[in-house]
Amino acid sequence: MTPPAMAEADRSVLDEAWGRIPHTREGQAEQGSFTQTRIERVITLIVGPGSLVLGAQAFFAAFGPGDEAPGWHLPLVLAVFVPLIAMIVACSVGRFARVFSGIFAVVFVLALTLWPFATAGGPSPVPTENPWIFYLVNVATVATIVAFPLPLQVAWTVATPLLFGVVRLLQAGGRPEFVLPIALDVSFALILGSVLVTLGWMYRSIAANVDQARASAVTSYASAAATAATEHERVAVAALMHDSVLGALLAAERASTPRERTLAVSMAREALTRLANAEKDALEGSDEPVPATRLADDIESAARELGVELTVIRQVEEGTPRVPGRIARALVLAAMQAVANAVQHAEAQGLSVQLTGYTAPGGVAVRVRDTGPGFDVSAIPPDRLGIRGSIVARLAAVGGRSDIDAHEGGTTVTLEWESGDRW
């Protein structure tokens, strides 16, 4: 199997394997993160209603007597609750959840930082009553699960409750009766926030492991299927060589009359045709004629699959005839065999490919050149079919011509087809 055909087979197998996995809008975006995508959606759906419950508690608490000085209460409430509402809506609909969650987490920390200034000159706080902003401490923590990476989640989980404790003590003027209630509130917020962050990390890790296991399974399946396909093709080609090619050679050896020679030539041509098309399958495409420039595009695409960045030089005259699909495929496959030979034996030195299309007589020519050490065509062992089978026989089977010019300064493989040729 030639390298382009093997790459095409691997891609088809992977496409078939992924096709066995159910696809939805989320899953189509990233086939390799099938479970992670759904876990992220589940997390946002949980964060939205959960934040709504705690946010409603804080909202109703904000209607009571506030600790803020005159002129601070309404701006702080609007600054905190507007991003909170936007975050809840975004998490519920599954759009821009990360952006609005990050905005709320940052705005809440800024509001906490301003709390000592907002409460300066306000009513005296009561140790047993928490301000409305306290109920949103863990909402800010859970917002980071959606918005930030794990290190920032941990930092917010630790820093936000501690910041609340500091600003609450500053509000109370450091009175001793506030120390124990604030310590309990901070401890509760730290424990709850740690549990939430740990759960988010655990579910994401499980999802990543599941996706990795799925990807490994699909890769193993693709490798096994490709190996099986290669073995199947090897058996089929071996049988073809034995039944068709060997039969044609025996007929040619025993031919003694013009009729027998004609029959042997017919058998040989049929054998070469079947051998050249051994790689063809139902997914290869129709014989519908294609533009000559399509050959250049296909050669570049196949070269990239080999890891070779190649730009085909196009010199196609206007009016160049369209190339039948079967012949186009034969030219592309033969050219790719020549490219593969240049990469393997000449290390792609000076590798270039030129496509020429002409109108009189109508046809196309593909030339693959390299500046490697060259080789002796006549010295190629009989059992090496890279040139004989994949280039010469393949072109001969579709009525094309091939020429190989190899010398010490390099090798040029010319592949030609004319619209007047029989095929």
Side-chain angles (χ1 to χ4, degrees):
M1 183 182 287
T2 60
M6 293 180 66
E8 183 66 28
D10 289 345
R11 185 168 61 252
S12 299
V13 171
L14 282 170
D15 291 342
E16 179 184 354
W18 280 119
R20 297 178 182 273
I21 300 175
H23 294 286
T24 62
R25 184 183 65 184
E26 296 86 351
Q28 289 174 350
E30 295 184 53
Q31 290 177 328
S33 58
F34 182 83
T35 307
Q36 294 180 66
T37 302
R38 279 150 182 77
I39 285 296
E40 292 297 332
R41 183 63 184 130
V42 169
I43 289 175
T44 57
L45 288 175
I46 293 175
V47 168
S51 300
L52 179 61
V53 173
L54 294 176
Q57 185 178 6
F59 185 75
F60 289 119
F63 278 103
D67 294 347
E68 300 95 321
W72 280 93
H73 181 70
L74 183 59
L76 274 180
V77 169
L78 291 177
V80 171
F81 281 98
V82 170
L84 175 61
I85 294 172
M87 182 189 79
I88 294 173
V89 173
C91 289
S92 299
V93 301
R95 301 292 300 273
F96 304 108
R98 177 170 295 179
V99 174
F100 287 110
S101 298
I103 291 174
F104 171 74
V106 173
V107 167
F108 182 79
V109 170
L110 294 177
L112 273 182
T113 305
L114 293 174
W115 189 255
F117 303 99
T119 57
S124 179
V126 179
T128 57
E129 294 181 3
N130 286 317
W132 61 268
I133 201 169
F134 167 74
Y135 300 103
L136 298 177
V137 171
N138 285 122
V139 177
T141 299
V142 80
T144 63
I145 298 177
V146 177
F148 299 150
L150 185 60
L152 284 179
Q153 295 175 30
V154 175
W156 241 259
T157 301
V158 175
T160 306
L162 293 178
L163 179 60
F164 170 77
V166 172
V167 300
R168 182 67 168 161
L169 277 175
L170 291 175
Q171 177 192 358
R175 285 182 286 173
E177 63 268 23
F178 279 85
V179 174
L180 181 58
I182 292 176
L184 292 176
D185 292 338
V186 171
S187 301
F188 172 79
L190 281 172
I191 294 172
L192 181 57
S194 300
V195 170
L196 294 174
V197 170
T198 302
L199 287 174
W201 168 80
M202 181 181 67
Y203 284 123
R204 282 172 170 155
S205 299
I206 292 173
N209 291 334
V210 170
D211 286 330
Q212 183 178 3
R214 178 184 288 109
S216 299
V218 171
T219 302
S220 300
Y221 168 78
S223 177
T227 302
T230 303
E231 290 299 322
H232 177 75
E233 182 181 21
R234 184 178 291 113
V235 172
V237 171
L240 176 65
M241 291 290 291
H242 182 273
D243 296 340
S244 301
V245 179
L246 184 58
L249 291 175
L250 290 175
E253 181 184 9
R254 297 172 181 175
S256 57
T257 65
R259 179 178 176 81
E260 290 176 347
R261 294 190 185 97
T262 302
L263 180 61
V265 170
S266 177
M267 292 177 62
R269 188 175 185 85
E270 176 65 20
L272 289 174
T273 300
R274 293 178 60 189
L275 180 60
N277 290 304
E279 294 174 345
K280 184 175 181 180
D281 54 36
L283 299 176
E284 194 175 24
S286 67
D287 202 34
E288 185 72 19
V290 298
T293 54
R294 171 74 176 273
L295 276 68
D297 297 336
D298 291 345
I299 292 173
E300 290 175 348
S301 176
R304 282 193 295 270
E305 295 176 358
L306 281 176
V308 179
E309 289 298 328
L310 185 67
T311 300
V312 178
I313 302 172
R314 295 165 170 83
Q315 295 181 351
V316 180
E317 298 178 357
E318 186 175 356
T320 299
R322 294 168 68 88
V323 184
R326 177 183 168 211
I327 297 174
R329 288 189 292 273
L331 287 168
V332 171
L333 290 173
M336 285 313 303
Q337 181 62 50
V339 170
N341 289 343
V343 172
Q344 180 179 1
H345 301 293
E347 298 182 353
Q349 297 178 13
L351 177 61
S352 66
V353 180
Q354 177 180 331
L355 171 67
T356 305
Y358 41 88
T359 57
V364 294
V366 179
R367 291 178 176 85
V368 181
R369 298 185 178 93
D370 67 69
T371 57
F375 64 97
D376 185 1
V377 179
S378 61
I380 300 175
D383 60 339
R384 302 297 296 272
L385 300 179
I387 292 179
R388 292 190 177 91
S390 297
I391 297 179
V392 179
R394 177 173 278 125
L395 265 295
V398 296
R401 297 184 298 274
S402 60
D403 178 72
I404 301 174
D405 180 19
H407 49 80
E408 293 183 357
T411 302
T412 301
V413 178
T414 303
L415 314 170
E416 295 181 289
W417 170 81
E418 293 182 1
S419 58
D421 291 342
R422 295 182 60 190
W423 55 275

